[in-house]
Amino acid sequence: MTIPNIVGAGLVVIGAGIGIGQIGGKAMEAIARQPEATGKIQTAMLIAAALIEGIGFAALFAVS
């Protein structure tokens, strides 16, 4: 692996981490505002986090 590949992989991991963190934080805010919608919010959050993680894995494989 070359240095640009390593830097690219690091950026992919950082970006995915930030994205999943944002989703989790916003979901917690939404649940605090509307506790009765917890199930729907959690489902949407998990689907979005899984999609971001999948894109992160695909990007890691593309970089390496």
Side-chain angles (χ1 to χ4, degrees):
M1 253 179 127
T2 64
I3 298 294
N5 286 352
I6 294 170
V7 171
L11 291 174
V12 166
V13 171
I14 290 170
I18 290 171
I20 292 173
Q22 289 280 327
I23 289 171
K26 297 297 181 180
M28 292 300 108
E29 289 178 12
I31 290 171
R33 288 190 189 120
Q34 292 186 329
E36 67 277 359
T38 299
K40 287 184 178 183
I41 294 168
Q42 283 180 341
T43 302
M45 176 189 70
L46 288 174
I47 291 170
L51 290 172
I52 288 175
E53 192 171 336
I55 291 170
F57 279 131
L60 278 177
F61 287 122
V63 168
S64 61

